[in-house]
Amino acid sequence: SKAVELAMSNNPLLKGASASLEASQANRSASLSAFFPTLNFYEDLERTNNPPMVFTYKLAQERFTSRDFDIDRLNNPTPITNWQGRFVLTQPIFNQGREIIGYRLSKVQEQIAALEKTKIRQEVSFQVEKAYYQAILAEKTLDVMTASVETAKAMEGLAAKREKAGLALKSDLLSARVHLVSAERERLRAEGDVKIAMAALDKAMGISQDREWELEPPQTNTDLASRGLEAWLEIARRKRPESLLSKKMVQAAGLKTKEAEFQFLPSLNLQGSYETNSRDLLGTDGDSWSIMAVMSFNIFNGLGDRARLAAASAEERRTRYKDQDINAQIGLEVRQAYFNLITAKKQLDVTEKAVAQAEETLRILKKRYENGLALMVEVLSAETALKQTRLQAAQARYDYMTAMSDLKLKTGVLGNDDES
């Protein structure tokens, strides 16, 4: 649990998922701005002798006089400079559904990002647990190899004693020495495997790979298989992040289809403006205001809207078919994990019994050899069998623990206190 806790704080994949969730939350907040009014300021400078523009600007600057009605002055006006400042306030009312659809999409995308983070958190937890169990297995393997070396040394000593007393052949001593060398080589390899497994655990936790730990053996008293396959399938349908993600993708595709349908509707906005016109930059020779309602309706857009609607509808159907495939795949994965757990539990029970039998076989043969009733090769063969059986038992325990974690991962409850 502490290893998983370290990973939750340090794993870079999880940090990236947190950043993605923060971005989607910010995007949802930004989408709310579409419902609020906007206020913009514009400043334009123009100098012109265009008759209509000169006429208009003089009116706007409130400098128009009766002399300006002179035909010659109207047709050949003196150039005029106009600084126009405008404040424009726009209140969106309905813009083909872009506001509400955009907000709903941003909420769905935030939920998708949250589910992605949950998915990555569970995957990281699984990798940490798997690496932890692998490190435990490596340490157990080292213990088995160390015990094998000690047994080989004891057998070498016994063979030397019997050979010196003339009760055994020289070949017995040589065989015992060869067996000892082989055992020591395997122990050295096991020591290296422990360091590699520890580095892999550090990597899964997202910390420096030169850290070594004293690991507590995992508990194996939880029998997840007793719950039954159908119960786990039901849990997976409710909690597996990939299943929930797929449903959110279908929801998002549906909103995009709705967005394409809304393109056939009109847009309506309210707009107000305050305007100043002056010969100078900061002058206020004349000012005015206006309020208006603006509606637009797309009559013909080259059939592009219909094509976009057809594309969005096809994409929505694709996501629905993909959702069906994902749920079928999840069902298969849960079944595989469940039956793998049952098999792993049975193999663990069998190997633990085999270890006791192998230990008893070696004990009997050692006694028989001491009394000259067995050959050294039989004793060494029994010791090798015991070593292999102990390794198989360690591997079976690792497989069982990993299978439990895998079932939790495949049903979406890994890392959750509530497994229902």
Side-chain angles (χ1 to χ4, degrees), residues 100-397:
I100 186 63
I101 294 296
Y103 177 67
R104 289 177 179 174
L105 266 174
S106 67
K107 285 184 66 178
V108 172
Q109 288 165 353
E110 180 184 356
Q111 293 165 349
I112 287 174
L115 287 170
E116 286 282 2
K117 181 178 179 180
T118 299
K119 176 176 175 288
I120 292 175
R121 184 172 65 244
Q122 291 193 3
E123 289 174 348
V124 168
S125 296
F126 177 71
Q127 292 303 322
V128 170
E129 290 192 14
K130 187 176 180 181
Y132 190 96
Y133 301 150
Q134 185 65 53
I136 290 287
L137 174 61
E139 290 184 340
K140 183 62 177 177
T141 300
L142 178 59
D143 291 342
V144 171
M145 295 306 178
T146 300
S148 178
V149 168
E150 295 304 317
T151 300
K153 287 181 178 179
M155 293 307 302
E156 181 195 32
L158 178 60
K161 181 179 178 181
R162 288 180 57 79
E163 191 269 339
K164 186 177 181 180
L167 300 176
L169 299 175
K170 182 72 173 181
S171 58
D172 284 358
L173 178 59
L174 294 176
S175 296
R177 287 175 178 173
V178 170
H179 185 77
L180 175 59
V181 170
S182 177
E184 289 177 337
R185 287 178 57 194
E186 290 179 334
R187 182 181 63 179
L188 291 173
R189 187 182 303 112
E191 289 176 352
D193 290 342
V194 169
K195 294 183 181 299
I196 293 172
M198 202 68 71
L201 175 59
D202 289 337
K203 190 266 182 185
M205 292 188 293
I207 62 177
S208 174
Q209 296 180 23
D210 57 1
R211 296 284 301 275
E212 293 190 5
W213 307 89
E214 183 178 346
L215 305 181
E216 295 181 2
Q219 300 297 318
T220 59
N221 56 355
T222 302
D223 188 7
L224 301 182
S226 63
R227 178 166 289 177
L229 175 59
E230 290 303 320
W232 285 113
L233 288 170
E234 175 60 26
I235 292 172
R237 283 190 284 269
R238 291 186 290 105
K239 295 200 172 187
R240 179 77 179 263
E242 288 88 341
S243 178
L244 302 178
L245 270 170
S246 180
K247 290 178 175 57
K248 289 299 176 183
M249 296 299 291
V250 171
Q251 185 179 352
L255 286 171
K256 289 180 180 179
T257 301
K258 184 69 69 176
E259 182 181 37
E261 291 174 346
F262 279 8
Q263 294 303 303
F264 296 94
L265 300 179
S267 294
L268 176 64
N269 295 285
L270 297 179
Q271 194 172 84
S273 66
Y274 173 76
E275 179 180 307
T276 63
N277 290 271
S278 175
R279 290 165 293 180
D280 304 313
L281 174 60
L282 300 178
T284 55
D285 294 338
D287 64 344
S288 61
W289 58 268
S290 61
I291 298 176
M292 67 187 76
V294 181
M295 185 180 75
S296 64
F297 191 89
N298 171 34
I299 302 300
F300 181 73
N301 193 24
L303 301 179
D305 292 334
R306 290 187 178 278
R308 282 186 283 273
L309 175 58
S313 298
E315 177 63 19
E316 182 180 359
R317 293 196 303 274
R318 187 192 70 81
T319 57
R320 291 186 184 278
Y321 294 141
K322 186 175 181 181
D323 177 60
Q324 294 176 11
D325 181 69
I326 287 174
N327 284 307
Q329 179 64 29
I330 288 173
L332 175 60
E333 291 177 357
V334 172
R335 284 176 168 84
Q336 289 174 333
Y338 179 81
F339 291 119
N340 285 341
L341 177 61
I342 291 177
T343 301
K345 182 64 170 65
K346 291 178 179 178
Q347 289 177 339
L348 177 60
D349 294 340
V350 169
T351 54
E352 287 181 342
K353 293 178 181 177
V355 168
Q357 294 171 354
E359 288 175 342
E360 180 62 15
T361 299
L362 178 60
R363 186 190 68 79
I364 292 173
L365 284 172
K366 286 174 67 176
K367 285 292 186 181
R368 287 174 60 85
Y369 180 77
E370 290 176 1
N371 295 321
L373 300 175
L375 301 175
M376 173 58 71
V377 67
E378 293 179 301
V379 179
L380 295 181
S381 177
E383 195 281 327
T384 300
L386 174 59
K387 177 183 65 178
Q388 294 300 325
T389 305
R390 285 173 172 170
L391 291 176
Q392 289 170 1
Q395 182 68 48
R397 184 168 295 277

Side-chain angles (χ1 to χ4, degrees), residues 36-43 85-92 271-275:
F36 292 92
T38 60
L39 179 63
N40 294 288
F41 175 74
Y42 305 91
E43 183 70 36
R86 287 179 298 139
F87 287 95
V88 179
L89 178 69
T90 303
Q91 174 60 61
Q271 194 172 84
S273 66
Y274 173 76
E275 179 180 307

